[in-house]
Coordinates of all heavy atoms in Angstrom, one line a residue:
M18 N 2.3 38.9 -39.0 CA 0.9 38.6 -39.2 C 0.8 37.3 -39.9 O 1.4 37.1 -41.0 CB 0.2 39.7 -39.9 CG -1.2 39.4 -40.3 SD -2.0 40.7 -41.2 CE -3.1 41.2 -40.1
A19 N 0.0 36.4 -39.5 CA -0.2 35.1 -40.1 C -1.5 35.1 -40.8 O -2.5 35.7 -40.3 CB -0.1 34.0 -39.2
K20 N -1.6 34.4 -41.9 CA -2.9 34.3 -42.6 C -3.1 32.7 -42.8 O -2.2 31.9 -42.8 CB -2.8 34.9 -44.0 CG -2.9 36.4 -44.0 CD -3.1 37.0 -45.3 CE -3.3 38.4 -45.2 NZ -3.7 38.9 -46.5
T21 N -4.4 32.4 -42.8 CA -4.8 31.0 -43.0 C -6.0 30.9 -43.8 O -6.8 31.9 -43.9 CB -5.0 30.3 -41.6 OG1 -5.3 29.0 -41.9 CG2 -6.2 31.0 -40.9
T22 N -6.2 29.9 -44.5 CA -7.4 29.6 -45.2 C -8.1 28.4 -44.6 O -7.5 27.3 -44.4 CB -7.1 29.3 -46.7 OG1 -6.3 30.3 -47.3 CG2 -8.4 29.1 -47.5
L23 N -9.4 28.7 -44.1 CA -10.1 27.6 -43.5 C -10.8 26.8 -44.5 O -11.3 27.3 -45.5 CB -11.1 28.3 -42.5 CG -10.5 29.0 -41.4 CD1 -11.6 29.7 -40.5 CD2 -9.7 28.2 -40.4
N24 N -10.9 25.5 -44.2 CA -11.7 24.6 -45.1 C -13.2 24.8 -44.9 O -13.6 25.5 -43.9 CB -11.2 23.2 -45.0 CG -11.5 22.6 -43.7 OD1 -12.4 23.0 -43.0 ND2 -10.8 21.5 -43.3
A25 N -14.0 24.2 -45.7 CA -15.4 24.4 -45.6 C -16.0 24.0 -44.3 O -17.0 24.7 -43.9 CB -16.0 23.6 -46.8
A26 N -15.4 23.1 -43.6 CA -15.9 22.6 -42.4 C -15.7 23.6 -41.3 O -16.4 23.7 -40.3 CB -15.4 21.3 -41.9
L27 N -14.8 24.6 -41.4 CA -14.4 25.5 -40.4 C -14.8 27.0 -40.7 O -14.4 27.9 -40.0 CB -13.0 25.4 -40.0 CG -12.5 24.0 -39.5 CD1 -11.0 24.0 -39.4 CD2 -13.2 23.7 -38.2
L28 N -15.5 27.2 -41.8 CA -15.7 28.5 -42.1 C -16.7 29.3 -41.2 O -16.4 30.5 -41.0 CB -16.5 28.5 -43.6 CG -15.5 28.3 -44.8 CD1 -16.4 28.3 -46.0 CD2 -14.5 29.4 -44.9
E29 N -17.5 28.6 -40.5 CA -18.4 29.3 -39.7 C -18.0 28.9 -38.2 O -18.9 28.8 -37.3 CB -19.9 29.0 -39.9 CG -20.3 29.4 -41.2 CD -20.4 31.0 -41.1 OE1 -20.8 31.6 -40.2 OE2 -20.1 31.6 -42.2
L30 N -16.8 28.7 -37.9 CA -16.3 28.3 -36.5 C -16.6 29.5 -35.5 O -16.2 30.6 -35.7 CB -14.8 28.0 -36.6 CG -14.2 27.4 -35.3 CD1 -14.9 26.1 -34.9 CD2 -12.7 27.2 -35.5
R31 N -17.3 29.1 -34.5 CA -17.6 30.1 -33.4 C -17.4 29.4 -32.0 O -17.6 28.2 -32.0 CB -19.0 30.6 -33.4 CG -19.3 31.6 -34.4 CD -20.7 32.1 -34.3 NE -21.2 32.5 -35.5 CZ -21.8 32.0 -36.4 NH1 -22.3 31.0 -36.4 NH2 -22.2 32.3 -37.6
G32 N -17.1 30.2 -31.0 CA -17.1 29.6 -29.7 C -15.7 29.5 -29.1 O -14.7 30.2 -29.6
S33 N -15.5 28.6 -28.2 CA -14.1 28.5 -27.6 C -13.7 27.0 -27.6 O -14.5 26.1 -27.4 CB -14.0 29.1 -26.3 OG -14.9 28.5 -25.4
V34 N -12.4 26.8 -27.8 CA -11.8 25.4 -27.6 C -10.6 25.6 -26.8 O -9.7 26.4 -27.2 CB -11.5 24.8 -29.0 CG1 -10.8 23.5 -28.9 CG2 -12.8 24.7 -29.9
D35 N -10.4 24.9 -25.7 CA -9.3 25.0 -24.8 C -9.2 26.5 -24.4 O -10.2 27.0 -23.9 CB -8.0 24.5 -25.4 CG -8.0 23.1 -25.5 OD1 -8.6 22.4 -24.7 OD2 -7.3 22.5 -26.5
S36 N -8.1 27.2 -24.7 CA -8.0 28.6 -24.3 C -8.1 29.6 -25.4 O -7.8 30.7 -25.3 CB -6.7 28.8 -23.6 OG -5.6 28.5 -24.4
W37 N -8.7 29.1 -26.5 CA -8.8 29.9 -27.7 C -10.3 30.2 -27.9 O -11.2 29.4 -27.8 CB -8.3 29.2 -28.9 CG -6.9 28.9 -28.9 CD1 -6.2 27.8 -28.5 CD2 -5.8 30.0 -28.9 NE1 -4.9 28.0 -28.5 CE2 -4.5 29.3 -28.7 CE3 -5.8 31.3 -29.2 CZ2 -3.3 30.0 -28.8 CZ3 -4.6 32.0 -29.3 CH2 -3.4 31.3 -29.0
C38 N -10.6 31.5 -28.4 CA -11.9 31.9 -28.7 C -12.1 32.3 -30.2 O -11.2 33.1 -30.7 CB -12.2 33.2 -27.8 SG -13.9 33.8 -28.0
Y39 N -12.9 31.7 -30.9 CA -13.2 31.9 -32.3 C -14.4 32.8 -32.5 O -15.5 32.6 -32.0 CB -13.4 30.6 -33.0 CG -12.3 29.6 -32.8 CD1 -12.2 28.8 -31.8 CD2 -11.2 29.7 -33.7 CE1 -11.1 28.0 -31.5 CE2 -10.1 28.8 -33.6 CZ -10.1 28.0 -32.4 OH -9.0 27.1 -32.4
K40 N -14.2 34.0 -33.2 CA -15.3 34.9 -33.4 C -15.4 35.2 -34.9 O -14.4 35.1 -35.6 CB -15.0 36.2 -32.7 CG -14.7 36.1 -31.2 CD -14.3 37.4 -30.6 CE -13.7 37.2 -29.2 NZ -13.1 38.5 -28.8
Q41 N -16.6 35.6 -35.3 CA -16.9 36.0 -36.7 C -17.0 37.4 -36.7 O -17.8 38.1 -36.0 CB -18.1 35.3 -37.2 CG -18.1 33.8 -37.3 CD -17.1 33.3 -38.2 OE1 -16.9 33.9 -39.3 NE2 -16.4 32.3 -37.9
T42 N -16.3 38.1 -37.6 CA -16.4 39.6 -37.8 C -16.6 39.8 -39.3 O -16.5 38.9 -40.1 CB -15.1 40.4 -37.3 OG1 -14.1 40.1 -38.2 CG2 -14.8 40.0 -35.9
K43 N -16.8 41.1 -39.6 CA -17.0 41.4 -41.0 C -15.7 41.1 -41.8 O -15.7 41.0 -43.0 CB -17.4 42.8 -41.1 CG -16.4 43.9 -40.8 CD -17.0 45.3 -40.9 CE -16.0 46.3 -40.5 NZ -16.5 47.7 -40.6
H44 N -14.6 41.0 -41.1 CA -13.3 40.8 -41.8 C -12.9 39.3 -41.8 O -12.0 38.9 -42.4 CB -12.2 41.4 -41.0 CG -12.4 42.9 -40.9 ND1 -12.4 43.8 -42.0 CD2 -12.7 43.7 -39.8 CE1 -12.6 45.0 -41.6 NE2 -12.8 45.0 -40.3
G45 N -13.9 38.4 -41.2 CA -13.6 37.1 -41.3 C -13.5 36.4 -39.9 O -13.9 37.1 -38.9
T46 N -13.0 35.2 -39.7 CA -12.8 34.6 -38.5 C -11.7 35.2 -37.7 O -10.5 35.4 -38.3 CB -12.6 33.1 -38.6 OG1 -13.7 32.6 -39.5 CG2 -12.6 32.4 -37.3
V47 N -11.8 35.5 -36.4 CA -10.8 36.1 -35.6 C -10.6 35.0 -34.4 O -11.5 34.5 -33.8 CB -11.3 37.4 -34.9 CG1 -10.2 37.9 -33.9 CG2 -11.4 38.4 -36.0
I48 N -9.3 34.7 -34.2 CA -8.9 33.8 -33.1 C -8.2 34.6 -32.1 O -7.3 35.3 -32.4 CB -8.0 32.7 -33.6 CG1 -8.8 31.9 -34.8 CG2 -7.7 31.7 -32.5 CD1 -8.0 30.9 -35.5
S49 N -8.7 34.5 -30.8 CA -8.0 35.2 -29.7 C -7.9 34.3 -28.5 O -8.6 33.2 -28.4 CB -8.7 36.5 -29.4 OG -10.0 36.3 -29.0
R50 N -7.2 34.7 -27.5 CA -7.2 34.0 -26.2 C -8.6 34.1 -25.6 O -9.2 35.3 -25.6 CB -6.2 34.5 -25.3 CG -4.9 33.9 -25.6 CD -3.9 34.3 -24.5 NE -2.6 34.5 -25.2 CZ -1.7 35.4 -24.7 NH1 -1.9 35.9 -23.6 NH2 -0.6 35.5 -25.4
R51 N -9.1 33.2 -24.9 CA -10.3 33.3 -24.2 C -10.0 34.2 -22.9 O -9.0 34.0 -22.2 CB -10.8 31.9 -23.7 CG -12.3 31.9 -23.2 CD -12.9 30.6 -23.1 NE -12.0 29.8 -22.2 CZ -12.1 28.5 -21.9 NH1 -12.9 27.9 -22.7 NH2 -11.4 27.9 -21.1
P52 N -10.9 35.1 -22.6 CA -10.7 36.0 -21.5 C -10.7 35.2 -20.2 O -11.5 34.3 -20.0 CB -11.8 37.0 -21.6 CG -12.8 36.4 -22.5 CD -12.1 35.5 -23.4
D53 N -9.8 35.6 -19.3 CA -9.7 35.0 -17.9 C -10.6 35.8 -17.1 O -10.3 37.0 -16.7 CB -8.3 35.1 -17.4 CG -8.1 34.5 -16.0 OD1 -9.1 33.8 -15.6 OD2 -7.1 34.7 -15.4
M54 N -11.8 35.3 -16.7 CA -12.8 36.0 -15.9 C -12.7 35.6 -14.4 O -13.5 36.0 -13.6 CB -14.2 35.7 -16.3 CG -14.4 36.1 -17.9 SD -14.2 37.8 -18.2 CE -15.7 38.4 -17.6
S55 N -11.6 34.9 -14.0 CA -11.6 34.3 -12.7 C -11.4 35.5 -11.6 O -11.8 35.2 -10.5 CB -10.4 33.4 -12.6 OG -9.2 34.0 -12.8
R56 N -10.8 36.6 -12.0 CA -10.6 37.7 -11.0 C -11.7 38.8 -11.1 O -11.6 39.7 -10.4 CB -9.2 38.2 -11.2 CG -8.2 37.2 -10.9 CD -6.8 37.9 -11.0 NE -5.7 37.0 -10.8 CZ -4.5 37.1 -11.2 NH1 -4.1 38.2 -11.8 NH2 -3.6 36.2 -10.9
V57 N -12.7 38.5 -11.9 CA -13.7 39.6 -12.0 C -14.6 39.6 -10.9 O -15.1 38.6 -10.4 CB -14.5 39.3 -13.4 CG1 -15.7 40.3 -13.4 CG2 -13.7 39.5 -14.6
K58 N -14.8 40.7 -10.3 CA -15.7 41.0 -9.2 C -17.0 41.5 -9.7 O -17.1 42.7 -10.1 CB -15.2 41.9 -8.1 CG -16.0 42.1 -7.0 CD -15.4 41.7 -5.7 CE -16.2 42.2 -4.5 NZ -17.2 41.3 -4.2
W59 N -18.1 40.7 -9.8 CA -19.3 41.1 -10.3 C -20.0 42.2 -9.3 O -20.0 42.0 -8.1 CB -20.3 40.0 -10.5 CG -19.7 38.9 -11.4 CD1 -19.3 37.7 -11.0 CD2 -19.5 39.1 -12.8 NE1 -18.8 37.1 -12.1 CE2 -18.9 37.8 -13.3 CE3 -19.7 40.0 -13.7 CZ2 -18.6 37.6 -14.6 CZ3 -19.4 39.8 -15.1 CH2 -18.9 38.6 -15.5
S60 N -20.7 43.2 -9.8 CA -21.3 44.1 -9.0 C -22.6 43.5 -8.5 O -23.1 42.4 -9.1 CB -21.7 45.4 -9.8 OG -22.7 45.1 -10.8
P61 N -23.2 44.0 -7.4 CA -24.5 43.5 -7.0 C -25.6 43.5 -8.0 O -26.3 42.5 -8.2 CB -24.8 44.4 -5.8 CG -23.5 44.9 -5.3 CD -22.7 45.0 -6.5
K62 N -25.6 44.5 -8.8 CA -26.6 44.5 -9.9 C -26.4 43.4 -11.0 O -27.3 42.8 -11.5 CB -26.5 45.9 -10.6 CG -27.7 46.2 -11.5 CD -27.7 47.6 -12.0 CE -28.9 47.8 -13.0 NZ -28.9 49.1 -13.5
Q63 N -25.1 43.2 -11.3 CA -24.7 42.1 -12.2 C -25.1 40.7 -11.6 O -25.6 39.8 -12.3 CB -23.3 42.1 -12.5 CG -22.9 43.2 -13.6 CD -21.4 43.4 -13.7 OE1 -20.7 43.3 -12.7 NE2 -21.0 43.5 -15.0
Q64 N -24.8 40.6 -10.3 CA -25.1 39.3 -9.6 C -26.7 39.0 -9.7 O -27.1 37.9 -9.9 CB -24.6 39.3 -8.3 CG -23.1 39.2 -8.2 CD -22.6 39.3 -6.7 OE1 -23.2 39.7 -5.8 NE2 -21.3 39.0 -6.5
A65 N -27.4 40.1 -9.4 CA -28.9 40.0 -9.4 C -29.4 39.6 -10.8 O -30.2 38.8 -11.0 CB -29.6 41.2 -9.0
H66 N -28.8 40.2 -11.9 CA -29.2 39.9 -13.3 C -28.9 38.5 -13.6 O -29.6 37.8 -14.2 CB -28.5 40.9 -14.2 CG -29.0 40.6 -15.6 ND1 -30.3 40.9 -16.1 CD2 -28.4 40.1 -16.7 CE1 -30.4 40.6 -17.3 NE2 -29.2 40.1 -17.7
R67 N -27.7 38.0 -13.3 CA -27.3 36.7 -13.5 C -28.1 35.7 -12.8 O -28.5 34.7 -13.4 CB -25.7 36.6 -13.1 CG -24.8 37.2 -14.0 CD -23.4 37.3 -13.4 NE -22.8 36.0 -13.3 CZ -22.0 35.5 -14.3 NH1 -21.8 36.1 -15.4 NH2 -21.5 34.3 -14.1
A68 N -28.5 36.0 -11.5 CA -29.4 35.1 -10.9 C -30.8 35.0 -11.6 O -31.5 34.0 -11.7 CB -29.6 35.6 -9.4
L69 N -31.3 36.2 -12.0 CA -32.6 36.2 -12.7 C -32.5 35.4 -14.0 O -33.5 34.7 -14.3 CB -32.9 37.7 -13.0 CG -34.3 38.0 -13.7 CD1 -35.4 37.5 -12.8 CD2 -34.4 39.4 -14.0
V70 N -31.5 35.6 -14.8 CA -31.4 34.8 -16.0 C -31.2 33.3 -15.7 O -31.9 32.5 -16.4 CB -30.2 35.4 -16.8 CG1 -29.9 34.4 -18.1 CG2 -30.4 36.8 -17.3
A71 N -30.6 32.9 -14.7 CA -30.5 31.5 -14.3 C -31.9 31.0 -13.9 O -32.3 29.9 -14.2 CB -29.5 31.4 -13.1
A72 N -32.6 31.9 -13.2 CA -34.0 31.4 -12.9 C -34.9 31.3 -14.1 O -35.7 30.3 -14.1 CB -34.6 32.4 -11.8
A73 N -34.7 32.2 -15.0 CA -35.5 32.1 -16.3 C -35.2 30.8 -17.1 O -36.1 30.2 -17.5 CB -35.1 33.3 -17.2
G74 N -33.9 30.4 -17.1 CA -33.4 29.1 -17.7 C -34.1 28.0 -16.9 O -34.6 27.0 -17.6
A75 N -34.1 28.0 -15.6 CA -34.7 26.9 -14.9 C -36.2 26.8 -15.1 O -36.8 25.7 -15.2 CB -34.4 27.1 -13.4
H76 N -36.8 28.0 -15.2 CA -38.2 28.0 -15.5 C -38.6 27.4 -16.9 O -39.5 26.6 -17.1 CB -38.7 29.4 -15.5 CG -40.1 29.7 -15.9 ND1 -41.2 29.3 -15.0 CD2 -40.7 30.3 -17.0 CE1 -42.3 29.6 -15.7 NE2 -42.1 30.2 -16.8
Y77 N -37.7 27.7 -17.9 CA -37.9 27.1 -19.2 C -37.7 25.6 -19.1 O -38.6 24.9 -19.8 CB -36.9 27.8 -20.1 CG -36.7 27.1 -21.5 CD1 -37.7 27.2 -22.4 CD2 -35.7 26.3 -21.8 CE1 -37.6 26.6 -23.7 CE2 -35.5 25.6 -23.0 CZ -36.6 25.8 -23.9 OH -36.4 25.1 -25.1
R78 N -36.7 25.2 -18.5 CA -36.5 23.7 -18.4 C -37.7 23.0 -17.7 O -38.2 21.9 -18.1 CB -35.1 23.4 -17.8 CG -34.0 23.7 -18.7 CD -32.7 23.2 -18.1 NE -32.4 23.9 -16.8 CZ -31.8 25.0 -16.7 NH1 -31.5 25.7 -17.7 NH2 -31.6 25.5 -15.5
K79 N -38.2 23.6 -16.7 CA -39.3 23.0 -15.9 C -40.6 23.0 -16.9 O -41.2 21.9 -17.0 CB -39.6 23.9 -14.7 CG -40.7 23.3 -13.9 CD -41.0 24.2 -12.7 CE -42.3 24.9 -12.9 NZ -42.7 25.8 -11.9
L80 N -40.9 24.0 -17.6 CA -42.0 24.0 -18.5 C -41.8 23.0 -19.6 O -42.8 22.3 -20.0 CB -42.2 25.4 -19.1 CG -42.7 26.5 -18.1 CD1 -42.9 27.8 -18.8 CD2 -44.0 26.0 -17.4
M81 N -40.7 22.9 -20.2 CA -40.5 22.0 -21.3 C -40.4 20.5 -20.9 O -40.5 19.6 -21.7 CB -39.1 22.3 -22.0 CG -39.2 23.7 -22.7 SD -40.7 24.0 -23.7 CE -40.2 23.0 -25.2
A82 N -40.3 20.3 -19.6 CA -40.3 18.9 -19.1 C -41.7 18.3 -19.2 O -41.8 17.1 -19.2 CB -39.8 18.8 -17.7
D83 N -42.7 19.1 -19.1 CA -44.1 18.7 -19.2 C -44.5 18.7 -20.7 O -44.6 19.7 -21.3 CB -45.0 19.6 -18.4 CG -46.5 19.3 -18.5 OD1 -46.8 18.1 -19.0 OD2 -47.3 20.1 -18.1
P84 N -44.8 17.5 -21.3 CA -45.1 17.4 -22.8 C -46.2 18.2 -23.2 O -46.3 18.8 -24.3 CB -45.3 15.9 -23.0 CG -44.6 15.2 -21.9 CD -44.7 16.2 -20.7
K85 N -47.4 18.3 -22.4 CA -48.5 19.0 -22.7 C -48.2 20.5 -22.7 O -48.6 21.2 -23.7 CB -49.6 18.7 -21.7 CG -51.0 19.3 -22.0 CD -52.0 18.9 -21.0 CE -53.3 19.6 -21.4 NZ -54.4 19.2 -20.4
Q86 N -47.5 21.0 -21.7 CA -47.2 22.4 -21.7 C -46.2 22.8 -22.8 O -46.4 23.8 -23.4 CB -46.5 22.7 -20.3 CG -46.2 24.1 -20.0 CD -47.5 24.9 -19.7 OE1 -48.6 24.4 -19.4 NE2 -47.4 26.2 -20.0
A87 N -45.3 21.9 -23.1 CA -44.3 22.1 -24.1 C -45.0 22.3 -25.5 O -44.6 23.2 -26.3 CB -43.3 21.0 -24.2
G88 N -46.0 21.5 -25.8 CA -46.8 21.5 -27.0 C -47.5 22.8 -27.1 O -47.5 23.5 -28.2
L89 N -48.1 23.3 -26.0 CA -48.8 24.6 -26.0 C -47.8 25.8 -26.3 O -48.1 26.7 -27.0 CB -49.5 24.8 -24.7 CG -50.7 23.8 -24.4 CD1 -51.2 24.0 -23.0 CD2 -51.8 24.2 -25.5
L90 N -46.6 25.7 -25.6 CA -45.6 26.7 -25.8 C -45.1 26.7 -27.2 O -44.9 27.8 -27.8 CB -44.5 26.5 -24.8 CG -44.9 26.8 -23.4 CD1 -43.8 26.3 -22.4 CD2 -45.2 28.3 -23.1
R91 N -44.9 25.5 -27.9 CA -44.5 25.5 -29.2 C -45.4 26.2 -30.2 O -45.1 26.9 -31.1 CB -44.2 24.0 -29.7 CG -42.9 23.5 -29.1 CD -42.6 22.1 -29.7 NE -41.5 21.6 -29.0 CZ -41.5 20.7 -28.0 NH1 -42.7 20.2 -27.6 NH2 -40.5 20.3 -27.4
K92 N -46.7 25.9 -30.0 CA -47.7 26.6 -30.8 C -47.7 28.0 -30.6 O -47.8 28.8 -31.7 CB -49.2 26.0 -30.5 CG -49.3 24.6 -31.0 CD -50.8 24.2 -30.7 CE -50.9 22.7 -31.1 NZ -52.3 22.2 -30.8
A93 N -47.6 28.5 -29.4 CA -47.7 30.0 -29.1 C -46.5 30.7 -29.7 O -46.6 31.7 -30.2 CB -47.8 30.2 -27.6
A94 N -45.3 30.0 -29.5 CA -44.1 30.6 -30.0 C -44.1 30.6 -31.6 O -43.7 31.5 -32.2 CB -42.9 29.8 -29.5
G95 N -44.6 29.5 -32.2 CA -44.7 29.5 -33.6 C -45.6 30.6 -34.2 O -45.3 31.1 -35.3
K96 N -46.6 30.9 -33.6 CA -47.6 32.0 -34.0 C -46.8 33.3 -34.0 O -47.1 34.2 -34.9 CB -48.9 32.1 -33.1 CG -49.8 30.9 -33.3 CD -51.0 31.1 -32.4 CE -52.0 29.9 -32.6 NZ -53.1 30.0 -31.7
K97 N -45.9 33.5 -33.1 CA -45.2 34.8 -33.0 C -43.9 34.7 -33.8 O -43.2 35.7 -34.0 CB -44.9 35.1 -31.6 CG -46.1 35.5 -30.7 CD -45.7 36.3 -29.6 CE -47.0 36.7 -28.9 NZ -46.9 38.0 -28.3
G98 N -43.6 33.5 -34.3 CA -42.4 33.4 -35.1 C -41.1 33.4 -34.3 O -40.1 33.9 -34.8
L99 N -41.2 32.9 -33.1 CA -40.0 32.9 -32.2 C -39.6 31.5 -31.8 O -40.5 30.6 -31.8 CB -40.4 33.7 -30.9 CG -40.7 35.1 -31.0 CD1 -41.2 35.7 -29.7 CD2 -39.5 36.0 -31.4
P100 N -38.3 31.3 -31.5 CA -38.0 30.0 -30.9 C -38.6 29.9 -29.6 O -38.9 31.0 -28.9 CB -36.4 30.1 -30.7 CG -36.0 31.3 -31.6 CD -37.2 32.2 -31.8
V101 N -38.9 28.7 -29.1 CA -39.6 28.5 -27.9 C -38.9 29.0 -26.7 O -39.4 29.7 -25.8 CB -40.0 27.0 -27.6 CG1 -40.7 26.8 -26.4 CG2 -40.7 26.4 -28.8
S102 N -37.5 28.9 -26.7 CA -36.8 29.4 -25.6 C -36.8 30.9 -25.5 O -37.0 31.4 -24.4 CB -35.3 29.0 -25.7 OG -34.7 29.4 -27.0
T103 N -36.8 31.6 -26.6 CA -36.9 33.0 -26.5 C -38.3 33.4 -26.1 O -38.3 34.4 -25.3 CB -36.7 33.6 -28.0 OG1 -35.4 33.2 -28.5 CG2 -36.8 35.1 -28.0
Y104 N -39.3 32.8 -26.5 CA -40.7 33.1 -26.1 C -40.9 33.0 -24.6 O -41.4 33.8 -24.0 CB -41.6 32.2 -26.9 CG -43.1 32.4 -26.5 CD1 -43.8 33.5 -27.0 CD2 -43.8 31.5 -25.7 CE1 -45.1 33.7 -26.7 CE2 -45.1 31.6 -25.4 CZ -45.7 32.8 -25.9 OH -47.2 32.9 -25.6
V105 N -40.4 31.8 -24.0 CA -40.6 31.5 -22.6 C -39.7 32.4 -21.8 O -40.2 33.0 -20.7 CB -40.3 30.0 -22.3 CG1 -40.4 29.8 -20.8 CG2 -41.3 29.2 -23.0
I106 N -38.4 32.5 -22.0 CA -37.5 33.3 -21.2 C -37.8 34.8 -21.2 O -37.8 35.5 -20.2 CB -36.1 33.0 -21.6 CG1 -35.8 31.5 -21.2 CG2 -35.1 33.9 -21.0 CD1 -34.5 31.0 -21.7
S107 N -38.2 35.3 -22.4 CA -38.5 36.7 -22.6 C -39.8 37.1 -21.8 O -39.9 38.1 -21.0 CB -38.6 37.2 -24.0 OG -39.7 36.6 -24.6
D108 N -40.8 36.2 -21.7 CA -41.9 36.3 -21.0 C -41.7 36.3 -19.5 O -42.1 37.1 -18.7 CB -43.0 35.3 -21.3 CG -44.3 35.4 -20.5 OD1 -44.9 36.5 -20.6 OD2 -44.7 34.5 -19.8
F109 N -40.8 35.4 -19.1 CA -40.4 35.3 -17.6 C -39.6 36.6 -17.2 O -40.0 37.2 -16.2 CB -39.4 34.1 -17.5 CG -39.0 34.0 -16.0 CD1 -39.7 33.1 -15.2 CD2 -37.8 34.5 -15.6 CE1 -39.2 33.0 -13.8 CE2 -37.4 34.4 -14.3 CZ -38.1 33.6 -13.4
L110 N -38.8 37.1 -18.0 CA -38.0 38.3 -17.7 C -38.9 39.6 -17.7 O -38.8 40.4 -16.8 CB -36.8 38.5 -18.6 CG -35.7 37.5 -18.6 CD1 -34.7 37.7 -19.7 CD2 -35.0 37.4 -17.2
R111 N -39.8 39.6 -18.6 CA -40.8 40.7 -18.7 C -41.6 40.7 -17.4 O -41.9 41.8 -16.8 CB -41.7 40.6 -19.9 CG -42.5 41.8 -20.2 CD -43.3 41.7 -21.4 NE -42.6 41.1 -22.6 CZ -42.8 39.9 -23.1 NH1 -43.6 39.1 -22.7 NH2 -42.1 39.6 -24.2
R112 N -42.1 39.6 -17.0 CA -43.0 39.5 -15.8 C -42.2 39.8 -14.5 O -42.6 40.5 -13.6 CB -43.6 38.1 -15.6 CG -44.6 37.9 -16.6 CD -45.1 36.5 -16.5 NE -45.9 36.1 -17.7 CZ -47.2 35.5 -17.6 NH1 -47.7 35.2 -16.4 NH2 -47.9 35.3 -18.7
A113 N -40.9 39.4 -14.5 CA -40.0 39.6 -13.3 C -39.7 41.1 -13.2 O -39.6 41.6 -12.1 CB -38.7 38.8 -13.4
R114 N -39.5 41.8 -14.3 CA -39.3 43.3 -14.2 C -40.5 44.1 -13.8 O -40.3 45.1 -13.3 CB -38.8 43.7 -15.5 CG -37.3 43.2 -15.8 CD -36.7 43.8 -17.1 NE -35.4 43.3 -17.2 CZ -35.0 42.5 -18.2 NH1 -35.8 42.3 -19.2 NH2 -33.8 42.1 -18.3
K115 N -41.7 43.6 -14.1 CA -42.9 44.3 -13.7 C -43.1 44.2 -12.2 O -43.7 45.1 -11.6 CB -44.1 43.7 -14.4 CG -44.2 44.2 -15.8 CD -45.5 43.6 -16.5 CE -45.6 44.0 -17.9 NZ -46.8 43.6 -18.6
S116 N -42.7 43.1 -11.6 CA -42.9 42.9 -10.1 C -41.9 43.7 -9.3 O -40.9 44.1 -9.6 CB -42.7 41.5 -9.7 OG -42.9 40.5 -10.7

């Protein structure tokens, strides 16, 4: 077992670099290999959900491209104390599930 002490710049390291994945746990930073998802066969339900989330992201980018609409969304999200992306995407997903 190897131990390391991270400097201040790397204390909150998250994400992946090359083939390594950096995670934060209650025990500290964990470094592992990034999972190989190339052979994963997504179920039809997973594919549908991934397509829905991609559509929600596209909807968010479209709305934020219009400065007037973006300003209104920032105000509405601010009133609810949410990030704009969370506000817009959650609304899109809620409406999609109702239909």
